[in-house]
Amino acid sequence: MTAASTDAPTKGDRTRRRLLDAAAAEVARHGRAGASLGAIASAAGLKPGSIYFHFGSREQLIDAMLEEGVRESLARLDRAMTEVPQGAMTEVPRGAMTEVPRGARPGDPRARLRAAIRAHLDALHDLRDYAAVVLAPALALDGPPGAAFRELRRVYLQQWSRLVEDAQGTGVLAAGVPAPIVRDLILGALNSAGLAGRPPGETAAAVELLVMFPSVPS
């Protein structure tokens, strides 16, 4: 996983990155409660005491790792949304809900949902240990995460809820089921397949086939 900043990293930045990477791997394997500070230091090539030059405590290190992981996942989702053409809306199948939800973003809800699915799967593939921790709730919430992580995760899930609402409002997804439930079902399927190592493209195609209504021929 690479840092979000475009500035050349300092020696301290590189050491911090090694610690965050090691913490992600340790928490992914053992959960927050079982993560060993000694194991994290060893994986980063440091002595345990050296960690305190960069983080005030074990909990601060783990919280920073969680924040970094979800921040990068959120950045990937945002980038994916900006790359979707802001053209015409999806044609609505006959009998489907025709009112676009309040707050819907411009562009094609089908294309935006597809882009979000791929961004989530790519995060699972590329960010590896970070994604296993921050995108899989059972690991991410094994212990009390910090307020910054909870807020970033809330924003991530809220964006997904809006994507689902827009898709339901234009007949891309079935209406009648609350958007957060549909969101969690989709993310659960993506997490399960992604963390199992299935190819992102194959998983994306399968999920789209399962949950999306066919587009209307023009």
Side-chain angles (χ1 to χ4, degrees):
M1 178 175 174
T2 57
S5 173
T6 57
D7 297 332
T10 65
K11 181 179 179 181
D13 292 335
R14 291 192 296 271
T15 301
R16 177 183 171 88
R17 173 56 50 191
R18 293 204 310 274
L19 285 168
L20 291 173
D21 290 348
E26 179 71 3
V27 174
R29 284 194 296 267
H30 303 293
R32 182 179 183 129
S36 163
L37 201 61
I40 292 171
S42 177
L46 299 170
K47 295 180 179 180
S50 300
I51 290 177
Y52 296 104
F53 287 105
H54 303 274
F55 301 96
S57 66
R58 171 187 177 277
E59 297 308 310
Q60 189 180 96
L61 167 58
I62 293 176
D63 280 343
M65 177 273 294
L66 290 170
E67 292 165 24
E68 183 68 14
V70 74
R71 186 178 289 110
E72 177 63 19
S73 299
L74 183 57
R76 283 169 174 253
L77 177 60
D78 287 340
R79 286 196 299 271
M81 294 302 97
T82 63
E83 292 170 1
V84 174
Q86 304 298 299
M89 301 291 286
T90 297
E91 292 189 48
V92 181
R94 184 176 300 172
M97 176 178 165
T98 57
E99 182 179 352
V100 177
R102 182 179 300 174
R105 289 180 285 190
D108 182 353
R110 182 184 300 276
R112 284 191 281 116
L113 186 58
R114 280 176 171 160
I117 287 171
R118 188 55 191 254
H120 190 90
L121 287 168
D122 285 345
L124 286 167
H125 180 268
D126 298 342
L127 307 184
R128 301 181 187 280
D129 293 326
Y130 286 88
V133 173
V134 304
L135 298 180
L139 287 174
L141 302 182
D142 179 17
F149 169 78
R150 292 197 301 271
E151 175 60 17
L152 287 166
R153 187 174 172 83
R154 183 193 67 78
V155 171
Y156 188 79
L157 294 177
Q158 186 177 63
Q159 288 203 24
W160 263 92
S161 290
R162 288 200 297 266
L163 288 166
V164 170
E165 288 171 354
D166 292 352
Q168 288 178 316
T170 51
V172 174
L173 295 175
V177 179
I181 294 177
V182 177
R183 174 203 70 199
D184 290 348
L185 288 171
I186 293 174
L187 291 179
L190 297 178
N191 289 342
S192 179
L195 294 175
R198 295 187 182 279
E202 175 185 298
T203 301
V207 170
E208 291 169 17
L209 185 63
L210 286 170
V211 304
M212 292 188 188
F213 287 135
S215 57
V216 175
S218 52

